[in-house]
Amino acid sequence: MTVAGLALATALATPGWAQEPPDTLMYHVAVYSADRHLSVEARLTTAAAGSVLLLAPARAGAAGTVVAGFAATDDRGGPLSVQRTGSGYAIDRAPAGAVRFRYRLDFNDSISSGSTASGPDSLRLYAVTRSLFVAPDPVLGRKTGRPYPVIRLRFVLPEGWRLVANWDSAGPELRPRSGDDFTDATIAAAADYRIYPGRVGDATYTVAIRGQRAFSDSALADLIGQALTRGAEVFGPVPVRRVTFISDAGRKGRTSGSLQGLSSIGLLWEPGELLERSRSHDTFHETLHLWFGGAMETEQWWTEGVTDYFAARLYSEWRNDPRELAALIYESLANYGRIPHRTSMTMTTERRERPGGDNTVRLVYRKGMLAGLLLDAAIRRDTHGRSSLDDVARRLLTMVAG
């Protein structure tokens, strides 16, 4: 047995597992970098009798993973029947109590293709958590009114690696704050992550950077700090108490940034990427999703397009150079002119009939950004400079909050 396997077996055999309260889900995850897979074992304790329904990671797409060898037992090791459902697994179990399950997780890609994807190699792991865990579905829990289990995790990593995650921790044990915090997050692990902490108001943030890049660590950390600071100045305090930014080199020719859940931002740029106007604008954009996301996500023309305008304007103000804003607006207008369906399809229709795709030629980004510019200009003109789109944004955030 390998060292990682021995540590995993020892941890699962400790008495603490048998003493967990009801509705607790404990995971032990061993990362095997040599052949790029995870070994996952879990123990669910619940006061509810009947079948246990679990959601499985999606097999398709860039974040797709493959669950192999899924099996379940009772707490004494007796095998339980498992049925494959359309979205996961159903474990047959009549009495209340504990259920153990285990599986191997293989990845479609060896290197993550972007910030919404997953992939390990011999040097690092980057993953969105929804691609890793067989777990109860938070959405189903909300529909049925059943509280989500308390989640606890322990990772067994290759020697010298460190884990980067935005979850609470107590020693080696990680503690997501909710089901959504568990399933909608980003984690990474490697031996060479460099960690830079910061604070904006009452919120703390961590910037984790790895690899040799074409820009300095301090330049990226300063950019992120400015994006948070200027967002807080315009829209109010950072809406979460802790934010994690994970910066790594992804695939050549592929640059991607995204907010996962409410507080975990991935920035995966191609290896030779420079920290110039476009990447700085993207970083401001993803940071502003801390304010414009979540409950506002249905209004994508705002959460993506108008957010893109605010990101361009705040970046330009930080640089104290209006030409930066003009260049970004011109670029967006030029990209809008390249959209074949720009006059024949609404943003709502595009989202329904053409989901995904290149953001540079999607209406919700390009038309939404231009709408933000025109709305801001009209409000400033009609109020003689007394109000702006900033006031509308703050009002919307207040309405969403409450």
Side-chain angles (χ1 to χ4, degrees), residues 285-343:
H285 176 106
E286 298 308 332
T287 301
L288 294 186
H289 275 314
L290 295 168
W291 286 268
F292 301 119
M296 293 181 66
E297 189 59 36
T298 55
E299 302 298 333
Q300 198 175 28
W301 73 275
W302 180 288
T303 60
E304 297 296 354
V306 177
T307 295
D308 219 34
Y309 164 70
F310 276 129
R313 205 194 77 205
L314 296 185
Y315 169 66
S316 174
E317 291 173 359
W318 170 50
R319 293 292 304 273
N320 194 29
D321 188 350
R323 292 174 299 179
E324 296 288 351
L325 174 60
L328 288 165
I329 292 295
Y330 180 81
E331 180 182 23
S332 189
L333 179 61
N335 286 331
Y336 173 71
R338 294 168 47 211
I339 302 176
H341 55 275
R342 63 186 181 278
T343 60

Side-chain angles (χ1 to χ4, degrees), residues 13-256:
T14 57
W17 280 72
Q19 298 168 4
E20 288 295 327
D23 300 312
T24 297
L25 183 51
M26 300 281 294
Y27 287 91
H28 277 78
V29 183
V31 178
Y32 294 89
S33 59
D35 57 354
R36 302 191 299 272
H37 80 273
L38 306 184
S39 178
V40 183
E41 299 197 21
R43 182 177 187 268
L44 172 66
T45 60
T46 175
S51 296
V52 174
L53 300 178
L54 301 171
L55 183 67
R59 297 172 64 96
T65 48
V66 178
V67 175
F70 186 89
T73 69
D74 61 26
D75 217 20
R76 296 182 177 182
L80 296 175
S81 176
V82 176
Q83 304 296 322
R84 190 71 166 94
T85 67
S87 59
Y89 300 93
I91 302 174
D92 294 336
R93 179 209 56 157
V99 171
R100 294 173 183 260
F101 57 90
R102 64 183 182 275
Y103 57 93
R104 171 182 168 132
L105 189 84
D106 292 293
F107 294 80
N108 291 350
D109 294 318
S110 59
I111 299 178
S112 177
S113 61
S115 60
T116 60
S118 299
D121 61 18
S122 61
L123 299 177
R124 39 78 187 275
L125 164 70
Y126 176 92
V128 290
T129 54
R130 64 178 173 273
S131 72
L132 303 183
F133 297 104
V134 176
D137 184 356
V139 176
L140 179 61
R142 285 193 289 271
K143 289 180 178 179
T144 60
R146 183 168 182 80
Y148 201 81
V150 175
I151 302 293
R152 300 288 183 260
L153 302 103
R154 293 186 183 183
F155 279 78
V156 180
L157 300 172
E159 184 176 357
W161 284 30
R162 67 185 302 177
L163 187 74
V164 180
N166 201 42
W167 297 322
D168 294 337
S169 63
E173 187 177 87
L174 297 170
R175 301 183 173 190
R177 296 177 286 280
S178 67
D180 293 307
D181 187 41
F182 170 53
T183 58
D184 292 326
T186 302
I187 65 167
D192 57 346
Y193 267 108
R194 303 178 295 279
I195 307 298
Y196 303 93
R199 175 180 289 274
V200 174
D202 292 333
T204 61
Y205 66 93
T206 298
V207 181
I209 307 172
R210 73 166 298 275
Q212 298 303 313
R213 314 297 295 278
F215 49 84
S216 67
D217 290 3
S218 60
L220 180 57
D222 184 44
L223 175 70
I224 288 170
Q226 288 294 332
L228 287 165
T229 298
R230 294 183 178 266
E233 289 172 350
V234 174
F235 306 118
V238 179
V240 292
R241 62 185 178 88
R242 187 172 67 242
V243 190
T244 296
F245 294 80
I246 300 173
S247 173
D248 198 354
R251 291 183 178 276
K252 186 176 181 180
R254 170 70 174 163
T255 291
S256 173

